Amino acid sequence: MNPQDYIAEHIKNLPRSGIRDFFAIVSEMPQAISLGIGEPDFITPWKIREASIFALEKGKTSYTDNRGLLSLRKEISSYVSSFFGPEYDPQSEILVTVGVSEAIDIALRAILNPGDKVLYHEPCYVSYAPSVSLAFGEAIPVGTIPEQSFSLDPEAFEKAWEPGCKILLLNFPTNPTGGTADKQKLERLAKFAVAKDLIVISDEIYAELTYDGEHCSIVNLPGMKERTILLHGFSKGFAMTGFRVGFACGPDWLIEAMMKIHQYCMMCAPILSQEAAIEALRHGTEDVMRMREQYQKRRNFIVRRFNQMGLSCHLPRGSFYAFPNVLSLGMNEVDFCHRLLREQEVAVVPGTSFGPHGQGHVRASFSTSYDKLVEAADRMERFVESIHAETDNVSAVV
Ligand code: PLP
């Protein structure tokens, strides 16, 4: 029996996540400081955890409505209208999912026919290209660049468009670059989406973690609500990764199509997590602001240190990732990460894990305590100095 004969072809061709392999190594190194993980270092605020415990005590251990608890959908509706702008009907235009991860998957599967194309900006979240190919679509990545702080470039999308494009997939603020999108650029992109009749999937999971200026969502622009699926969740802003809960808001016909998949593959998000999410939306905003303030301090610190050590780094306007360029050290991003881990026990992620446009960069997450971040910066500085010393020795010999 050859096991490979039993695995579907499109799964065989799916690459393993580079991040996973790298962190298998990190987990064996007790002294390592990891700036690699894309999750908050904060424990979920107590009142949110307590809501989940209380629900368990009351015996809430059942399935829920496939769409999610109506009480949660009502909270989502009012939170979304106050934070993002548009109003959604809790009965027909909101679906509670198992994280934004599930929402991305079922949105793509609900819309794409084999060969349909998806435009998205890159470097991007590791799951976008695999999710497109699992839905039998074709990925069309469009580069964002450091000279523009990896922000939205609508012209690049216009140039990359080709017949067969059906979806525009956006993520601002962006994982891994912290790039954001300003209103003017979004307006131009919205006109492009209408002109090319595209469905927009807007993953706004880092929306609350916007540091400079207000977060602006494409869904709030004219003509967009009727063609946009807004994805959001609790993992990042509310520090609730382990609860596995997110949601999609969109036109009823798109939500209904996603529901068809969700009801068979997932049934519903866990009820205890949904109860926690209700508390998060009702009373969690102050905690989110408190965590955001900490991230902002850490961001300012780590970006300054990267630039001081000669690794040019733009100021990320959102998310909790810095994305410095390491090419000045005369090595590529993968070698940088491996040597840094081996020699100074600091883990950062090669930019190419987020697509080829991440070349020359590494992702360093600042969702790590300030003290650890200081220690990591000192270690990285020692590493950079040692590389310069090596280079000086070589040139002296030559
Ligand atoms: N979207 C982006 C851009 C992310 O960075 C992540 C997680 O890192 C997700 C979605 C997945 O989020 P969730 O935990 O809600 O599934």
Side-chain angles (χ1 to χ4, degrees), residues 89-372:
D89 178 357
Q91 298 286 357
S92 59
E93 296 182 317
I94 296 173
L95 176 65
V96 177
T97 55
V98 178
V100 172
S101 304
E102 189 216 348
I104 295 166
D105 176 45
I106 62 176
L108 292 170
R109 283 202 278 156
I111 298 167
L112 295 174
N113 285 312
D116 286 342
K117 295 173 186 164
V118 180
L119 279 165
Y120 58 88
H121 50 100
E122 198 206 78
C124 67
Y125 177 43
V126 287
S127 91
Y128 287 168
S131 298
V132 169
S133 64
L134 283 170
F136 302 101
E138 195 185 313
I140 314 273
V142 178
T144 52
I145 55 170
E147 293 75 17
Q148 296 175 359
S149 301
F150 295 96
S151 61
L152 169 65
D153 177 4
E155 268 184 272
F157 276 105
E158 289 162 13
K159 283 192 196 126
W161 181 88
E162 49 185 85
C165 285
K166 198 171 183 187
I167 293 178
L168 187 56
L169 173 56
L170 305 176
N171 169 228
F172 294 105
T174 307
N175 172 8
T177 61
T180 52
D182 67 35
K183 189 162 179 230
Q184 262 180 340
K185 299 264 172 71
L186 283 171
E187 277 167 350
R188 179 161 174 176
L189 192 72
K191 286 189 186 131
F192 161 73
V194 172
K196 298 297 184 191
D197 205 13
L198 300 168
I199 299 286
V200 179
I201 300 178
S202 192
D203 173 354
E204 304 194 24
I205 193 166
Y206 295 97
E208 288 88 355
L209 304 181
T210 301
Y211 307 108
D212 308 305
E214 296 238 316
H215 173 72
C216 178
S217 172
I218 193 165
V219 75
N220 215 16
L221 299 177
M224 281 299 105
K225 188 180 170 228
E226 51 268 45
R227 60 173 66 244
T228 300
I229 306 174
L230 170 70
L231 305 184
H232 195 44
F234 299 86
S235 289
K236 311 295 173 168
F238 294 90
M240 290 172 66
T241 48
F243 284 83
R244 309 308 305 126
V245 60
F247 57 87
C249 300
D252 54 3
W253 51 277
L254 276 170
I255 293 296
E256 186 53 34
M258 290 168 67
M259 236 304 269
K260 281 190 177 170
I261 310 173
H262 172 80
Q263 68 187 344
Y264 294 123
C265 75
M266 214 53 86
M267 298 248 270
C268 63
I271 187 168
L272 299 177
S273 304
Q274 293 193 48
E275 292 286 350
I278 292 173
E279 178 62 21
L281 294 180
R282 281 188 188 152
H283 303 119
T285 309
E286 268 182 29
D287 289 305
V288 174
M289 296 304 127
R290 178 181 50 81
M291 291 187 274
R292 187 180 69 179
E293 207 176 293
Q294 295 300 315
Y295 293 134
Q296 186 163 357
K297 276 191 195 144
R298 298 168 188 184
R299 171 196 74 156
N300 295 346
F301 167 78
I302 197 69
V303 169
R304 192 178 66 244
R305 289 293 299 266
F306 275 130
N307 284 306
Q308 278 168 354
M309 60 182 100
L311 304 181
S312 117
C313 185
H314 69 282
L315 193 66
R317 294 179 60 201
S319 80
F320 40 55
Y321 307 109
F323 205 60
N325 187 313
V326 298
L327 290 179
S328 62
L329 294 179
M331 66 177 81
N332 69 30
E333 68 287 343
V334 177
D335 292 341
F336 177 94
C337 292
H338 282 282
R339 282 195 61 181
L340 178 64
L341 184 60
R342 240 187 0 253
E343 294 171 31
Q344 290 292 338
E345 303 205 68
V346 175
V348 293
V349 183
T352 35
S353 303
F354 309 96
H357 289 99
Q359 213 176 19
H361 293 262
V362 298
R363 188 189 78 172
S365 166
F366 46 87
S367 60
T368 305
S369 75
Y370 197 85
D371 291 349
K372 275 197 184 164

Side-chain angles (χ1 to χ4, degrees), residues 69-83 88 90 94 96 234 238 247 249 274-284:
L69 293 167
L70 183 59
S71 46
L72 173 56
R73 283 180 278 140
K74 284 182 177 165
E75 289 300 333
I76 291 171
S77 178
S78 63
Y79 182 81
V80 167
S81 76
S82 66
F83 191 87
Y88 289 97
I94 296 173
V96 177
F234 299 86
F238 294 90
F247 57 87
C249 300
Q274 293 193 48
E275 292 286 350
I278 292 173
E279 178 62 21
L281 294 180
R282 281 188 188 152
H283 303 119

